[in-house]
Amino acid sequence: MYCKVENVKNVSDDIAIVWLKLPGNQKFSFLPGQYIDLLLEDGKRRSYSMANAPNDNNVIELHIKHNPGGLFTDPLFGFQNDGKVKVVEKKIFRLEGPLGTFYFRKNIKKKIIFLASGTGIGPIKAIVEGLLLDNAQYNIALFWGVRKPKDLYLTKTIENWSEQIQNFSYIPVVSEATIEDNWKGRTGFVHHALMEDYSSLEEYAVYACGSPLMVSAAFDDLTKNSQLGEKNFFSDAFTVATDAKK
Ligand SMILES: Cc1cc2nc3c(=O)[nH]c(=O)nc-3n(C[C@H](O)[C@H](O)[C@H](O)COP(=O)(O)OP(=O)(O)OC[C@H]3O[C@@H](n4cnc5c(N)ncnc54)[C@H](O)[C@@H]3O)c2cc1C
């Protein structure tokens, strides 16, 4: 399927939101939480999670972090522009999808914990939007880990969720705050903050998304030390593409 870049917005110095318009005559159904592959030159591809729930406008939203030296994200952020993969308005890409098994399990009647690092918040935003569209009320805690307070680019959106979901708590966690940041909130690894707040996760399902290191450490620690059932851990790790430059 083809898509056209509708808009690009830099929400911080290294995070951009990209909106892609899909052809109006082709229905693109997906489950919130899933991802697409953008097909690039020479058979290369990059995966990005959809950060919105399906909508009538046939627009998908991607939250993309700059990976310095990266084939796809360098040009997006204005570096090393050979014009081949540069994401600009009206540029056409081919995409493949929807892909992946990171989506909300309605049949699992547990309280929910979302655990995101960086742009891993994107697919979690899609899932929460899906729950809101369904008018479903759940008990939800969201832990979002970033390096710096400036990386919390979705704070307003998340505060809106607090008003729409009765039992919703939001815990931003910053790992590399400096004195100049004047950060008064939680610090350290995001899954450690979760473990500090919940002595047992027996009654919970955890949806974790973002850096592969966070996802694998969270799986190990939560299932071994916090009584989280392995079958109640759902995740998507933003691994490096196999064709990435070394
Ligand atoms: C299922 C899935 C969903 C994803 N969803 C998103 C998403 O929603 N948002 C998002 O920002 N990214 C997401 N990613 C990551 C994304 O696909 C790319 O890997 C990332 O954007 C880097 O692409 P690039 O072309 O800029 O860098 P590449 O050209 O792939 O990499 C260039 C160099 O950087 C290294 N590198 C690449 N990524 C990293 C990294 N994270 N940390 C350290 N070194 C790295 C590579 O090993 C290589 O040496 C997802 C990945 C997967 C598998």
Side-chain angles (χ1 to χ4, degrees):
M1 179 184 283
Y2 286 91
C3 61
K4 193 194 298 185
V5 177
E6 191 172 74
N7 200 358
V8 182
K9 183 178 167 199
N10 283 68
V11 289
S12 80
D13 51 354
D14 64 355
I15 296 167
I17 300 187
V18 175
W19 287 270
L20 300 176
K21 178 87 177 160
L22 305 168
N25 56 355
Q26 272 173 283
K27 184 99 189 104
F28 184 68
S29 306
F30 64 93
L31 295 169
Q34 288 189 294
Y35 68 93
I36 52 162
D37 270 1
L38 291 177
L39 308 184
L40 312 176
E41 302 268 313
D42 308 325
K44 296 189 174 188
R45 54 176 65 211
R46 292 292 177 272
S47 308
Y48 294 101
S49 303
M50 283 154 294
N52 56 347
N55 54 64
D56 294 339
N57 305 333
N58 251 5
V59 170
I60 56 177
E61 176 182 322
L62 310 176
H63 295 189
I64 303 184
K65 182 174 163 48
H66 183 205
N67 169 51
L71 172 77
F72 188 77
T73 62
D74 247 1
L76 173 60
F77 287 85
F79 297 88
Q80 170 213 296
N81 176 14
D82 63 4
K84 284 187 183 157
V85 293
K86 183 148 171 71
V87 182
V88 283
E89 271 177 48
K90 299 206 169 83
K91 165 107 184 167
I92 307 274
F93 281 99
R94 269 181 66 213
L95 68 79
E96 218 171 81
L99 302 165
T101 56
F102 187 64
Y103 53 81
F104 188 69
R105 298 337 195 245
K106 285 187 185 163
N107 58 326
I108 296 184
K109 305 291 176 211
K110 298 265 183 190
K111 296 177 198 166
I112 301 157
I113 292 176
F114 292 122
L115 189 60
S117 70
T119 47
I121 195 69
I124 287 174
K125 171 177 174 284
I127 292 176
V128 173
E129 284 184 3
L131 297 179
L132 287 170
L133 283 174
D134 280 355
N135 253 331
Q137 284 293 339
Y138 291 92
N139 190 316
I140 296 176
L142 164 62
F143 288 77
W144 185 18
V146 295
R147 290 198 178 147
K148 297 288 209 168
K150 68 164 179 59
D151 301 331
L152 295 165
Y153 63 95
L154 271 190
T155 300
K156 278 207 183 98
T157 306
I158 296 171
E159 283 168 1
N160 270 333
W161 297 342
S162 315
E163 285 162 22
Q164 296 171 73
I165 303 168
Q166 273 170 13
N167 292 304
F168 181 83
S169 58
Y170 167 48
I171 302 92
V173 184
V174 174
S175 61
E176 293 175 14
T178 55
I179 293 173
E180 294 74 50
D181 290 325
N182 200 24
W183 173 250
K184 303 266 190 289
R186 305 284 291 272
T187 55
F189 288 147
V190 64
H191 80 287
H192 286 171
L194 163 59
M195 293 171 80
E196 281 157 23
D197 290 3
Y198 293 77
S199 53
S200 167
L201 292 172
E202 238 170 336
E203 292 177 13
Y204 292 84
V206 172
Y207 292 80
C209 190
S211 87
L213 275 178
M214 183 283 280
V215 170
S216 88
F219 176 79
D220 289 347
D221 285 346
L222 302 180
T223 55
K224 284 196 190 109
N225 305 320
S226 301
Q227 290 89 51
L228 177 71
E230 287 189 14
K231 64 180 187 335
N232 294 322
F233 183 87
F234 305 98
S235 65
D236 222 358
F238 289 178
T239 47
V240 175
T242 47
D243 61 39
K245 292 179 285 171
K246 292 285 176 270

